[in-house]
Amino acid sequence: MDVDLRDLELLDTVSDAGSLTAAAEVLYVSQPALSQRLTRMEDRLGVQLFDRQGRRLVPNAAGRRMLLAARQVFAELDAATRDLREMRDGRSRRVRLAVQCSTTFQWLPPVIRGFRERCPDSEVRIESLPGDALITALLEDRLDVALITKPDPQMDRVDLLRLFEDEMVAVVPAAHPWAALPYLTARDFDDAHLVLYDLYDQSRIPATPLPIPHGARPGRITTMPVITDLVIEMVAGGQGASVLPGWVAAPYVASHGLALVRIGAEAMSRTWYCATRPGARPALVQALVEELTERLGKPVAVSP
């Protein structure tokens, strides 16, 4: 392994502090020693991690990628430490929930209120995990409940309850030619510029299939972080079309002058499931599952 926790701590601190001198003060080491550690890490990785802008050290593309990994590692270690404290003190009264591919959570406050009415003095902890890691996290007991929609090779290893269907729609400015069509075909997407969440980055392994009709050949795809506001602003600014769940895009139609267009003569939809580890559910997990299924849909047991 080319990096360790001390390397990640150095990367995070230098990024926040903006200079080796300031970072050295935070870490209680000398500036020359810190400079040597950074140089050794960059040598092992074979790439520079910072660019100098005036007097500041600023993470470059490689540095930003490593910084993202570092902060995910620190967040997971913090969560594990909290969990162990709760286990030690006999007060583990929380359920860990994660949601795949969504940045819109209007539905969440009523679910949490209902859960707390069922289970006073308990809490729902929202975990931030990559969308393609949720089932693994469930099986490794790093998560208790997951809301998932993307197919996963391990789906047959967890218990699934069908929650609801949502329709994927094209999102374009109201004056866009697509807005006048009753629905889009694969040919309409040929040569189009699409702005999509980065979970659709086709360089990822395995790649998530694009949310467009089979046979469509878009001209260009720009992927962005899973931040709906950012994607919407790009579309509203004429920088491309997007494909989003209808319930995610609908709140932006009036405020941003957008149109939502059906994809295909029959709606392009996806199914959401509530996933838990196999077997009897602990009481708190069962209470959250019941609240989710009552609020989000009528559950139907799914056979793997």
Side-chain angles (χ1 to χ4, degrees), residues 146-166:
L147 300 189
I148 63 174
T149 186
K150 291 195 304 178
D152 187 289
Q154 299 190 92
M155 285 180 82
D156 61 348
R157 298 182 61 192
V158 298
D159 287 345
L160 300 174
L161 288 174
R162 189 190 304 272
L163 289 178
F164 64 92
E165 304 278 330
D166 68 354

Side-chain angles (χ1 to χ4, degrees), residues 53-107:
Q53 296 182 6
R55 296 184 177 182
R56 290 187 59 81
L57 286 177
V58 178
N60 57 24
R64 291 193 297 272
R65 178 63 186 88
M66 284 299 298
L67 192 60
L68 175 62
R71 289 172 176 169
Q72 288 176 339
V73 168
F74 293 145
E76 179 59 26
L77 287 174
D78 287 343
T81 302
R82 289 195 304 270
D83 291 345
L84 291 178
R85 269 196 218 104
E86 291 178 353
M87 292 177 188
R88 179 198 65 195
D89 298 339
R91 54 183 177 84
S92 181
R93 296 283 299 169
R94 52 92 184 98
V95 183
R96 299 160 297 177
L97 169 70
V99 182
Q100 193 178 61
C101 345
S102 180
T103 58
T104 303
F105 291 96
Q106 315 90 306
W107 53 268

Side-chain angles (χ1 to χ4, degrees), residues 37-258:
R37 280 177 51 194
L38 177 59
T39 299
R40 287 196 298 270
M41 177 169 62
E42 291 178 330
D43 287 344
R44 291 197 304 274
L45 293 171
V47 64
Q48 281 194 315
L49 301 174
F50 291 90
D51 293 333
R52 185 169 291 281
Q53 296 182 6
R55 296 184 177 182
R56 290 187 59 81
L57 286 177
V58 178
N60 57 24
R64 291 193 297 272
R65 178 63 186 88
M66 284 299 298
L67 192 60
L68 175 62
R71 289 172 176 169
Q72 288 176 339
V73 168
F74 293 145
E76 179 59 26
L77 287 174
D78 287 343
T81 302
R82 289 195 304 270
D83 291 345
L84 291 178
R85 269 196 218 104
E86 291 178 353
M87 292 177 188
R88 179 198 65 195
D89 298 339
R91 54 183 177 84
S92 181
R93 296 283 299 169
R94 52 92 184 98
V95 183
R96 299 160 297 177
L97 169 70
V99 182
Q100 193 178 61
C101 345
S102 180
T103 58
T104 303
F105 291 96
Q106 315 90 306
W107 53 268
L108 187 57
V111 169
I112 292 179
R113 282 196 299 271
F115 173 75
R116 286 179 175 166
E117 289 173 3
R118 293 171 183 257
C119 305
D121 302 322
S122 299
E123 67 170 320
V124 177
R125 181 182 296 169
I126 308 301
E127 302 288 356
S128 178
L129 295 168
D132 55 3
L134 267 57
I135 290 184
T136 298
L138 272 175
L139 295 171
E140 293 178 352
D141 196 18
R142 294 184 284 118
L143 196 62
D144 299 305
V145 180
L147 300 189
I148 63 174
T149 186
K150 291 195 304 178
D152 187 289
Q154 299 190 92
M155 285 180 82
D156 61 348
R157 298 182 61 192
V158 298
D159 287 345
L160 300 174
L161 288 174
R162 189 190 304 272
L163 289 178
F164 64 92
E165 304 278 330
D166 68 354
E167 181 179 355
M168 301 296 287
V169 296
V171 184
V172 293
H176 193 282
W178 285 1
L181 300 176
Y183 60 86
L184 303 178
T185 66
R187 181 165 296 181
D188 291 313
F189 283 90
D190 289 350
D191 299 322
H193 177 201
L194 298 181
V195 180
L196 303 173
Y197 292 146
D198 60 10
L199 60 93
Y200 293 110
D201 184 347
Q202 297 301 285
S203 66
R204 298 176 62 178
I205 301 175
T208 300
L210 295 173
I212 56 179
H214 179 70
R217 294 180 176 83
R220 183 156 59 110
I221 297 173
T222 299
T223 58
M224 318 201 75
V226 186
I227 302 172
T228 301
D229 285 352
L230 182 57
V231 172
I232 291 293
E233 292 296 340
M234 290 287 288
V235 172
Q239 301 304 302
S242 189
V243 177
L244 295 170
W247 63 278
V248 170
Y252 298 93
V253 169
S255 61
H256 288 71
L258 302 177

